[in-house]
Amino acid sequence: PDALRVAIDLAHKGSTSERAEALRMLSDSGSPRALDTLLEIAGKSHGQSRFTALDLLAQNRPTDPTVHQLLRDALTGGRRDEAQYAANILGRLNTDAARQTLIATLSGKDHELATAAANALCQDGMTDTVKTALVSAAQANPEIKQQILGQLLQAGLPEGLRFAEDLLASKEPGAASTAVWALAAVDTPESHRLVEQALNAKDASVRVAAMNTLLQNPDDKATDTLIRMSRDADATVRAGALNTLGQVGSERAQTALLEAARSARTEDRVAAISGLSSIDDPRASATLIRMTRDADANVATSAISSLYSGGPEVDQALSAILRDPSSQAEVRSAAAYQLRRRGGPLDPVVEDAVTKLAGPRGGGAGYGGPPPPPPPSGESGEKIDI
């Protein structure tokens, strides 16, 4: 009895961590008085204490009508955080009463709460009743449509394809991306047709979303599509295609990137740098080094930023920029910071230039680091090559 009294007191008046621990102890004890305390806190408090009490009560008394009523009160009480937490608990209860409460919430005017209820209903799969309610609610709530799309497609239901087409044509943020990824996860002729349709959509954002799925199966056909999209009229699509080609990394993908690196369009040369930096090949490295002397400062600085690895040829190219008085100021600065990051030995002239632009080795600018240790020497003090 004394221990129970201490736990109840801490559950009401303790610090945040003490309250949470006391509530768990009361739940573990299982005594009527302890559970009554949980009921009291779940009904009268707010915030984390209420969340914890509701969760523990749901574990101890999943079919108790009083617990269910407390969860309904939290769901409809007006506090957003408590409503979403209550919806999640009701989804885990997996009882008929909990499902009916969540289904009733789907048709409410609060779309955000309806979305939370839909997410909770999807936790344990879809019964016919739940599916019917979700499909009906999705007609008026695009977020629910996105939530249940994957399950509908996996189940082979016609509503899945219909919703996918709706989302591909939607202006809602992320809708097209959700649709193409859900479609890409389903190996059916209908899903392939819609992904292909998305790759040729008028909306550039839809084309980009569809393009990102090509890495799931980077075969020759996917490479052909990416090469075609690297010549798209939209700069965003071209940039995305070139970046994705770098992740494919095949010989044909690299050839396309090397061609883009010579493009007359600045944005294409910048995008090619991102793809080339993902490829471990001497031709890619040589091209990036060459691009550090590009006439456009944006291209040159992007190329310099990509040279975080590589051998002494990188240091030589960056040092040459600092020795060249005609180099643009922003390019010189980028070269100096990259040399400082790399931390290799520099000749006195270049070291002086780097120090002026990027600070001394191990300085407070956040670049470089401590100077390299001196070369080891033998017993007689002579330097040893390693």
Side-chain angles (χ1 to χ4, degrees):
D2 291 340
L4 184 61
R5 185 169 58 253
V6 171
I8 291 172
D9 186 58
L10 286 172
H12 284 98
K13 301 176 183 177
S15 66
T16 301
S17 59
E18 288 172 340
R19 289 198 302 271
E21 184 63 22
L23 290 171
R24 283 191 289 271
M25 289 180 178
L26 291 170
S27 173
D28 291 343
S29 78
S31 72
R33 188 180 173 195
L35 294 178
D36 286 344
T37 300
L38 290 176
L39 286 169
E40 178 189 356
I41 292 173
K44 295 181 180 179
S45 64
H46 290 288
Q48 190 57 50
S49 291
R50 189 179 196 189
F51 297 160
T52 303
L54 284 170
D55 206 349
L56 293 170
L57 284 167
Q59 295 174 37
N60 278 278
R61 299 179 175 179
T63 59
D64 188 327
T66 304
V67 174
H68 182 255
Q69 184 60 49
L70 286 171
L71 288 168
R72 287 186 61 183
D73 292 344
L75 189 67
T76 59
R79 291 176 62 101
R80 181 71 58 196
D81 55 345
E82 292 181 359
Q84 293 183 342
Y85 202 88
N88 185 55
I89 295 175
L90 285 165
R92 286 191 277 113
L93 284 181
N94 197 24
T95 64
D96 288 338
R99 276 190 292 272
Q100 289 304 315
T101 296
L102 291 170
I103 287 173
T105 307
L106 291 175
S107 57
K109 295 181 179 180
D110 188 330
H111 276 205
E112 191 172 341
L113 182 56
T115 302
N119 183 58
L121 284 166
C122 290
Q123 289 183 25
D124 292 310
M126 286 192 201
T127 63
D128 288 340
T129 302
V130 169
K131 185 204 79 172
T132 300
L134 287 170
V135 168
S136 176
Q139 309 293 341
N141 190 335
E143 291 187 21
I144 293 179
K145 191 175 291 186
Q146 293 184 50
Q147 279 185 326
I148 66 175
L149 176 62
Q151 292 189 21
L152 294 176
L153 289 171
Q154 293 288 347
L157 298 172
E159 292 89 351
L161 291 173
R162 179 161 55 83
F163 284 179
E165 290 180 319
D166 292 344
L167 292 171
L168 288 173
S170 171
K171 299 298 182 182
E172 290 287 329
S177 180
T178 298
V180 294
W181 281 110
L183 289 164
V186 182
D187 189 15
T188 65
E190 293 81 5
S191 66
H192 294 165
R193 175 182 61 81
L194 287 178
V195 171
E196 189 70 28
Q197 178 181 315
L199 287 167
N200 296 283
K202 291 182 179 180
D203 190 327
S205 65
V206 177
R207 297 201 297 278
V208 171
M211 177 176 57
N212 290 332
T213 67
L214 295 175
L215 281 174
Q216 289 186 329
N217 184 27
D219 55 13
D220 289 341
K221 183 180 178 183
T223 303
D224 288 340
T225 301
L226 288 169
I227 291 174
R228 171 178 64 80
M229 298 181 83
S230 71
R231 304 181 184 115
D232 194 273
D234 186 275
T236 306
V237 176
R238 295 197 304 273
L242 291 168
N243 183 59
T244 308
L245 283 168
Q247 297 176 66
V248 171
S250 66
E251 182 69 22
R252 293 179 60 235
Q254 183 170 329
T255 299
L257 287 167
L258 293 172
E259 290 177 2
R262 297 189 292 271
S263 170
R265 291 184 288 211
T266 299
E267 64 269 22
D268 288 1
R269 299 201 301 279
V270 171
I273 290 168
S274 176
L276 288 169
S277 64
S278 303
I279 297 175
D280 184 14
D281 185 273
R283 289 187 300 164
S285 300
T287 299
L288 290 172
I289 289 175
R290 174 183 61 79
M291 296 177 80
T292 63
R293 306 308 294 266
D294 194 278
D296 189 288
N298 287 330
V299 177
T301 54
S302 295
I304 290 169
S305 297
S306 73
L307 294 174
Y308 40 80
S309 60
E313 70 278 2
V314 173
D315 290 336
Q316 292 167 10
L318 298 176
S319 296
I321 292 173
L322 292 172
R323 292 195 192 95
D324 184 356
S326 66
S327 299
Q328 299 177 69
E330 58 265 48
V331 177
R332 290 174 60 82
S333 181
Y337 279 115
Q338 189 64 283
L339 282 169
R340 187 56 85 221
R341 288 188 187 99
R342 288 170 61 81
L346 305 171
D347 67 50
V349 173
V350 175
E351 178 66 48
D352 182 59
V354 172
T355 299
K356 289 178 180 177
L357 292 168
R361 292 178 184 268
Y367 299 103
S377 59
E379 293 181 358
S380 60
E382 76 277 15
K383 292 182 179 179
I384 300 174
D385 290 331
I386 299 179

